[in-house]
Amino acid sequence: MGIVVQKFGGTSVADSKKIKNVANAVIKEYKNGNQVVVVVSAMGHSTDYLINLAGEITQKPDNREMDMLISSGEQVSMALLAMAIHEAGYPAVSLLASQVGILTESVHNRARIIDVKTEKLEKHLSENKIIVVAGFQGITKEGEITTLGRGGSDTSAVALAVALKADRCDIYTDVRAVYTADPRYVPKASRLEQVSYIEMLELARVGANVLHPRSVETANQFNVPMRVRSSFYLDDPGTLIIGVEDMEIYRPVNGVAADKSQVRIAILKVPDQPGIAARIFGALSKNNISVDMIIQSLEEDNANNIAFTVDETDLNSTLSILEEVRMNLGAKEIVVDNDIAKISIVGAGMIDRPGIAASMFEALAEQNINIKMIATSEIKISCLVEKERAHEAVRALHSKFELDDENAEADKVKL
Ligand code: ASP
Ligand code: MG
């Protein structure tokens, strides 16, 4: 007995048959005596479809209109799910974020949630209704519709769980659990029964693609137990995401991931003076471009080369900003390398355990894979390698850190 938030992603609600299947999963929780709040994503790839449509009209869609457009996908799936629950004989009501009162900052396309009103939710729950909420969207205090960034329904779910003090937040998806690597190219990937928020957050950031990073950040901040599980195998407990203090740490590395969506940009022969890095990265941050790995090396003649990575979607804006900075600084040239992938190992167990980085480099060397750049944090080490060797690199690291599951079942293959 308690409040349970369940979130279903696009693949789980991709067609009417799957929506009926989701209705069953929701009703199962409800029949167990729980109060159930469901968050849905848009059906299948409908958000991509809407974005493409906008692209056929204009290359520079207005941010506000983009939110008006792409927030509509979730309105469709929430209404259909409520109908499917009715059809099965149970009470349900669907609500848009504006009707619930999911307040966000006044930023389009990547707004953060500021507050979630609970009055309306509590009223419906007290009337024993199942509530279906549109994920991914919010409303500003001025009444404008916003969206939370791609994949943001996970964050909607966690925010609702926090506001309602839910006992659980279950994220239903098309894989059975979180794995030590992507099973699509690492057949021996093993299932994680538990993973800590900080590890999951790093894994989400380095391209594991299971959860929206902000959902994990919020769950961590408010200590909401989150579970990743399959909407097609309802009895499978999936993976529990909890605080590191509640976890048993028995190995240094818990996951290996590849991110193939970054590009490396180098600005060559910038003067070796104080304030130069501040000017380059200040200009980028003012334009909301987040920079990932950075490396600076000393060239001859008091000049440095500075290289860094950004997401490929930010490439064009980065280059135009950088060109201006380059001219002002009198730097020689800007060089772009598209042929990169960032390979990362993540594990809370690497804290205070020396030699992990060395083992990583060794594993790559054994495969004759060249490292183009290195970055480390407390629980993560990332290397840039050639794009086409990315998967091979991940498999080599997966074995090196003894994550291979020789009996890996076929269950992990995407449904
Ligand atoms: N429908 C949105 C997207 O495709 C939000 C989500 O799926 O979480 O990004
Ligand atoms: Mg998603």
Side-chain angles (χ1 to χ4, degrees), residues 220-275:
N220 182 20
Q221 193 179 346
F222 295 95
N223 222 6
V224 182
M226 246 178 134
R227 222 176 241 291
V228 171
R229 57 197 306 183
S230 162
S231 51
F232 303 97
Y233 297 89
L234 298 178
D235 295 327
D236 190 325
T239 299
L240 180 64
I241 307 166
I242 47 172
V244 76
E245 54 293 336
D246 300 319
M247 238 184 59
E248 213 166 317
I249 295 176
Y250 54 94
R251 61 185 178 198
V253 174
N254 246 343
V256 188
D259 177 359
K260 292 201 268 182
S261 68
Q262 298 214 341
V263 285
R264 179 170 73 158
I265 300 171
I267 170 160
L268 304 185
K269 298 211 173 178
V270 282
D272 185 24
Q273 290 161 10

Side-chain angles (χ1 to χ4, degrees), residues 32-90:
N32 282 341
N34 294 303
Q35 295 185 306
V36 186
V37 177
V38 187
V39 174
V40 284
S41 294
M43 292 173 71
H45 298 288
S46 53
T47 310
D48 292 330
Y49 168 74
L50 295 170
I51 292 172
N52 290 339
L53 267 184
E56 288 173 19
I57 304 273
T58 166
Q59 282 312 300
K60 281 195 181 150
D62 179 78
N63 289 341
R64 176 188 185 275
E65 299 311 327
M66 203 62 193
D67 277 350
M68 296 300 281
L69 177 69
I70 62 178
S71 61
S72 68
E74 276 70 10
Q75 183 163 355
V76 174
S77 47
M78 73 171 196
L80 291 172
L81 178 57
M83 288 177 199
I85 298 169
H86 294 161
E87 190 62 16
Y90 291 86

